[in-house]
Amino acid sequence: REAEAPRCVCGSSLVRVGGKSRLWKAILTFPQFQAQREAIYQHLLRAGTALIVCDLCHVQPTTSDAVWTCENGNSTIFHPTSYDVCDKCFVKWTCNPGLQPSDIAASAAAAS
């Protein structure tokens, strides 16, 4: 039996993708840069930035980091700018069954 994919806050599935793939997906959300997409991708790849921020800890992953991202992208009112969770937060919040959603906000506030 195959394990069910983790769910996003919007009800869709979260999928784990590599930082390079997530960077390309982020670039595709800017239609005004269509002609320069490849050049922008290569520049950001050299810089190591994935153009996203973890929605839980607010840390910006690099292109070498994998992230969990919603299959709905930015096409839902629950997260109009996509929804991404870094591996560290994913493990922290899914492997601790006693934690409550309010613990996420408290932990993020303490880390700031």
Side-chain angles (χ1 to χ4, degrees):
R1 184 175 155 193
E2 192 173 314
E4 185 177 324
R7 294 281 169 212
C8 177
V9 295
C10 73
S12 185
S13 295
L14 291 174
V15 292
R16 189 171 187 263
V17 297
K20 293 175 186 176
S21 176
R22 184 62 186 93
L23 170 60
W24 183 251
K25 187 176 175 183
I27 290 171
L28 293 178
T29 64
F30 296 100
Q32 67 271 31
F33 298 130
Q34 184 174 358
Q36 301 99 350
R37 281 183 183 155
E38 185 61 34
I40 292 169
Y41 175 75
Q42 292 301 324
H43 173 75
L44 293 172
L45 200 57
R46 283 190 298 277
T49 182
L51 274 185
I52 61 161
V53 174
C54 173
D55 285 292
L56 299 181
C57 70
H58 308 289
V59 170
Q60 185 176 31
T62 69
T63 54
S64 60
D65 298 321
V67 296
W68 291 83
T69 190
C70 180
E71 288 183 320
N72 271 342
N74 59 359
S75 61
T76 173
I77 196 154
F78 289 102
H79 48 79
T81 59
S82 186
Y83 191 78
D84 298 287
V85 178
C86 69
D87 267 346
K88 184 177 179 181
C89 283
F90 185 84
V91 169
K92 179 178 182 178
W93 298 108
T94 61
C95 296
N96 293 305
L99 295 176
Q100 299 297 314
S102 59
D103 295 334
I104 295 173
S107 178
S112 297

